[in-house]
């Protein structure tokens, strides 16, 4: 469990506020969502790791053999490593709440961490995740807010798999919201607003619990 398990950047926020972990898509790096995270959660400290797997030079968080065909052993490795990284930062910061946001491959590693450690994140925004396997959630997601965003014409993440993921998460007790748009794999303004709402509501909820 190390704060330096990944090359990463930290954008400090208000002391005692939330920690927001942001996870980039394939081929991007730790800079992709740093300022975006600040926009979505202005008071939070933003932590942005870089994927430690290279796919022909493109950074990813775990290996695959094709689109949606994952190396499940490497996914397990990456999930355990990421959970340890998140826990180390949480332990050091002792934040009011812990949030996650990921896009594409970043959404997939975030989702996998949520399955493995349901208590790790208070809220998670999964932007265009592709979960092609049946998740085994290690506990209950009751009380956890999860946003899934998706495109109805996404060539990478078929809508039926988005709907299936929603059903899995609901069955495990999560408070799930799905935000659709009529396009493809790109992020559109309605998704951004949905993520902003998710973190604002979750921060208010966390403050209420702390003061209650």
């Amino acid at each position: 469990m190390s704060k330096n398990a990944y090359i990463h950047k930290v954008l400090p926020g208000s002391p005692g506020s939330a920690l927001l972990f942001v996870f980039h898509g394939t081929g991007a790096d730790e800079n992709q969502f740093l300022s975006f995270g600040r926009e979505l959660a202005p008071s939070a400290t933003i932590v942005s790791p870089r994927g430690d797997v290279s796919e022909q030079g493109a950074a990813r968080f775990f290996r695959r053999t094709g689109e949606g065909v994952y190396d499940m052993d490497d996914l397990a490795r990456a999930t355990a490593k990421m959970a340890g990284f998140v826990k180390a930062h949480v332990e050091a910061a002792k934040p009011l709440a812990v949030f996650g946001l990921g896009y594409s491959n970043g959404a997939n590693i975030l989702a996998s961490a949520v399955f493995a450690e349901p208590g790790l994140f208070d809220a998670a925004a999964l932007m265009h995740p592709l979960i092609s396997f049946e998740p085994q959630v290690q506990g209950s997601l009751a009380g956890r807010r999860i946003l899934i965003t998706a495109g109805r014409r996404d060539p990478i993440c078929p809508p039926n798999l988005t709907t299936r993921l929603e059903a899995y998460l609901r069955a495990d007790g999560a408070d799930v919201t799905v935000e659709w748009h009529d396009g493809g794999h790109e992020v559109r303004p309605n998704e951004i607003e949905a993520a902003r709402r998710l973190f604002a509501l979750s921060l208010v909820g966390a403050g209420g619990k702390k003061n209650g």
Side-chain angles (χ1 to χ4, degrees), residues 19-104:
L19 267 183
L20 170 58
F21 292 85
V22 293
F23 305 100
H24 64 77
T26 297
D29 62 18
E30 66 275 17
N31 296 300
Q32 185 179 31
F33 289 134
L34 208 58
S35 60
F36 184 49
R38 167 63 71 242
E39 179 189 337
L40 294 177
S43 66
T45 291
I46 317 300
V47 182
S48 182
R50 182 195 303 175
D52 61 350
V53 168
S54 175
E55 183 180 87
Q56 297 177 339
R60 283 177 55 83
F61 290 101
F62 58 89
R63 293 186 176 86
R64 62 180 173 178
T65 57
E67 198 67 67
V69 184
Y70 301 150
D71 179 332
M72 297 304 289
D73 288 338
D74 194 59
L75 177 57
R77 171 207 64 82
T79 300
K81 181 178 176 181
M82 186 59 73
F85 174 79
V86 171
K87 287 178 185 175
H89 281 270
V90 171
E91 179 78 17
K94 297 187 168 40
L96 178 63
V98 183
F99 302 151
L101 177 141
Y103 165 70
S104 197

Side-chain angles (χ1 to χ4, degrees), residues 114-187:
V114 168
F115 303 149
E117 302 263 2
L120 203 53
F121 295 94
D122 298 291
L126 308 174
M127 293 184 152
H128 300 262
L130 175 55
I131 303 301
S132 53
F133 56 92
E134 182 174 348
Q136 303 298 316
V137 178
Q138 303 301 309
S140 171
L141 287 167
R144 308 292 160 179
R145 289 188 174 99
I146 298 180
L147 168 69
I148 304 170
T149 73
R152 297 188 190 280
R153 296 180 177 83
D154 192 329
I156 294 172
C157 304
N160 65 303
L161 292 188
T162 298
T163 304
R164 190 178 72 167
L165 175 60
E166 176 190 5
Y168 286 145
L169 293 169
R170 287 193 191 283
D172 282 293
D175 177 358
V176 184
T177 301
V178 182
E179 184 73 26
W180 292 93
H181 63 63
D182 288 327
H185 202 56
E186 73 280 3
V187 174

